[in-house]
Amino acid sequence: MNSDVSTIARRVRGQADALPDLFGRFDFDKAPERWAPEADAVSELGRVRGADRAAYLEDAELLARIREYTMLGDRTGDAYAALMPRYGFQRTVAMLVEACDRGVAAVEDAPPELAALIHEMEQKPTWLDMELVEEGAAYERNATANLSPFLIRGAFIATFLNKYSALPMALTGTLGHGTAARRVKETATFFATTALPGALGRFGPGFKAAAMVRLMHSMVRVNVLSRPDMWDAETYGMPIPQLDQMPAGLIPVYFLSQEVLAKGRTRFNRLERGRVELARYRCYLLGLPEDLLADTPQEIVRIWRTRSATLRYEYDDRVCGGLLRATMEAELSADPSPKGRVKRRLERSVSRVFFVKAFLSGDEERAADVGVPVSRRDHLIYGATMLAVAGRMAAYRAASRLPVVRHLADRRLVRRIERQLAGYGRAEFTTDSAHYRPATAS
């Protein structure tokens, strides 16, 4: 159910009352430069071939909601992250970990801000169907185990094409190869972990991963806003607003929704609903407003594209290009074996081609301009790899329909995912302000 715009507006402006040291300087009544509702603006939707931007600027009520969400951080998460000066970085993280593992009552002298964060995450939305979530996770395990390792880098860099949404990542030091690799691995770890059986239960590993990602985003917000020279609020608005987290969380169901609509359907079937429910609940745990989490293919596409239609677009090579190049050049695996070296070569080519196909509408000239050149060899590797992956996934799908074999196949997928997670290493989901560097876009 959609929230009333006035209710959202009060929530947004209430950030200044709750945390005046961070948000007191924000003029929430003045839209930042990134907000682009004017008809002739160059927006992010311009990168979507065939999209009619004017059609997404006609709904005044939806535009008003998205305008407000452009300036919404995470009030509960930010309040807890703001305790870092009092408790220190390590203690702030450790208390959240313990609260996730054992409950808030187990944390000695737990601050009320921690209790509020965990309590908020524990509340089940009225639409939640955990049986559907588990069905969706079971389906996603096939792609998570077999396809995602080849695509995660390409999907990750898609968020770096626009300076208005990429700047926070640049500020945190991700222009370095080591940090870029860690961020890709953390992203892969989050999505892989939340696809495991029971992972999103209260004491499941996915619940804790969501809490840690949420704290990491709030830490970035608190750190950059604590240094006036670091962030230009009039231009960029809120650092990592909830609105900018929506694409990362809903990208699989956005593509799914487009496929459903292209087939002339207006509703998801049971299997598709499970995938959507999984994505929606992941986003809910990350703190996204519920009325951004649509459950029909039409609404998912409409909200996504309206957000893109109102996000001003500008490519800045110092910020965007630096992030793209650092991420593409980062080593995601240290496996020295011949198999490990081959897999790294395959992953680099596949991720490049996937990125160009999915996010640049196949424009290879544009890809070369932004620092992601694609060669004929990359295309050949992509074709061969995707053919092999498609065959493996088809075999698992066939096995999932057989009563006895289904459980054996699922256990094997779980083991494959667990090996992936071990290969990614321990995900810290933290951010150290000591590594922050001004990277103001030109």
Side-chain angles (χ1 to χ4, degrees):
M1 183 175 179
N2 293 340
S3 300
D4 179 80
V5 174
S6 61
T7 301
I8 302 171
R10 287 193 296 271
R11 182 180 177 188
V12 169
R13 285 150 185 77
Q15 294 173 111
D17 298 326
L19 296 168
D21 290 344
L22 291 178
F23 303 114
R25 64 188 174 95
F26 278 68
D27 182 355
F28 291 106
D29 293 324
K30 181 181 179 182
E33 182 181 296
R34 64 166 272 165
W35 172 250
E38 59 269 23
D40 60 347
V42 177
S43 77
E44 196 162 272
L45 191 64
R47 296 192 289 122
V48 179
R49 185 175 294 171
D52 180 8
R53 181 171 179 265
Y56 297 99
L57 299 178
E58 295 174 351
D59 188 334
E61 193 275 338
L62 179 57
L63 254 63
R65 283 194 286 132
I66 289 180
R67 154 67 179 86
E68 293 298 337
Y69 284 138
T70 296
M71 297 296 286
L72 180 67
D74 179 353
R75 285 188 58 176
T76 315
D78 295 348
Y80 181 60
L83 298 178
M84 281 189 294
R86 183 192 310 175
Y87 291 99
F89 172 81
Q90 296 294 342
R91 177 61 178 155
T92 303
V93 173
M95 286 192 294
L96 180 61
V97 170
E98 188 173 9
C100 289
D101 288 341
R102 302 172 57 201
V104 176
V107 180
E108 184 178 358
D109 298 324
E113 292 84 354
L114 173 61
L117 176 58
I118 295 297
H119 176 74
E120 183 174 286
M121 293 182 65
E122 288 175 338
Q123 301 309 299
K124 298 287 195 299
T126 56
W127 45 263
L128 181 65
D129 182 338
M130 284 304 292
E131 183 178 346
L132 265 180
V133 170
E134 288 299 325
E135 290 177 16
Y139 181 88
E140 288 293 331
R141 284 196 280 276
N142 192 352
T144 300
N146 296 305
L147 181 61
S148 295
F150 293 102
L151 304 187
I152 188 66
R153 189 198 304 251
F156 188 75
I157 62 177
T159 62
F160 300 156
L161 288 171
N162 188 351
K163 77 169 189 178
Y164 289 101
S165 53
L167 188 59
M169 192 67 75
L171 294 175
T172 61
T174 311
L175 291 169
H177 296 173
T179 308
R182 182 159 64 91
R183 291 295 180 231
V184 174
K185 291 178 182 179
E186 286 175 346
T187 300
T189 294
F190 172 72
F191 285 102
T193 299
T194 52
L196 292 172
L200 294 177
R202 167 59 186 89
F203 291 98
F207 182 98
K208 180 165 73 171
M212 296 302 292
V213 169
R214 196 163 171 176
L215 176 60
M216 177 178 66
H217 289 155
S218 286
M219 282 181 167
V220 171
R221 210 173 286 115
V222 169
N223 286 332
V224 300
L225 293 179
S226 296
R227 295 173 54 178
D229 65 315
M230 187 72 74
W231 189 255
D232 179 0
E234 291 188 2
T235 300
Y236 299 101
M238 178 66 62
I240 320 181
Q242 296 290 9
L243 198 63
D244 284 0
Q245 295 183 63
M246 181 182 69
L250 295 182
I251 190 170
V253 300
Y254 171 68
F255 287 144
L256 171 65
S257 298
Q258 288 184 306
E259 293 172 7
V260 168
L261 294 174
K263 294 175 181 177
R265 293 162 47 203
T266 58
R267 294 187 178 182
F268 295 117
N269 60 33
R270 174 79 185 190
L271 189 57
E272 292 162 346
R273 284 180 56 214
R275 297 172 62 188
V276 171
E277 198 80 352
L278 170 65
R280 294 175 76 211
Y281 190 45
R282 276 194 296 222
C283 289
Y284 173 84
L285 290 175
L286 291 174
L288 270 73
E290 290 184 58
D291 58 349
L292 292 179
L293 307 179
D295 61 354
T296 66
Q298 302 97 314
E299 277 300 287
I300 290 170
V301 170
R302 188 172 75 100
I303 293 174
W304 178 294
R305 289 192 171 182
T306 304
R307 179 255 180 194
S308 297
T310 54
L311 174 57
R312 197 175 304 279
Y313 176 78
E314 183 177 332
Y315 181 84
D316 182 277
D317 189 67
R318 182 167 40 174
V319 173
C320 306
L323 287 167
L324 287 168
R325 290 185 287 272
T327 304
M328 290 308 300
E329 294 166 10
E331 288 289 354
L332 302 185
S333 170
D335 185 352
S337 69
K339 181 179 179 180
R341 290 197 297 271
V342 170
K343 189 173 182 180
R344 281 199 297 275
R345 181 66 185 90
L346 298 180
E347 182 273 329
R348 283 182 181 275
S349 290
V350 172
S351 62
R352 284 173 180 270
V353 177
F354 167 72
F355 167 72
V356 176
K357 286 178 175 289
F359 302 105
L360 293 181
S361 301
D363 189 342
E364 294 186 14
E365 184 176 343
R366 170 69 172 148
D369 289 342
V370 302
V372 189
V374 177
S375 67
R376 178 175 175 78
R377 184 182 182 189
D378 289 328
H379 279 288
L380 292 173
I381 291 174
Y382 174 86
T385 303
M386 294 301 283
L387 185 63
V389 169
R392 189 181 305 123
M393 291 180 65
Y396 275 107
R397 279 196 297 271
S400 71
R401 302 186 187 101
L402 303 175
V404 178
V405 180
R406 177 174 68 244
H407 301 293
L408 296 175
D410 189 58
R411 283 203 291 270
R412 183 165 182 172
L413 288 173
V414 170
R415 287 195 296 270
R416 286 176 63 90
I417 294 171
E418 289 173 343
R419 287 197 296 271
Q420 283 178 20
L421 291 171
Y424 292 142
R426 181 175 176 272
E428 297 179 359
F429 297 116
T430 57
T431 176
D432 187 350
S433 62
H435 298 149
Y436 286 20
R437 297 291 183 272
T440 305
S442 59

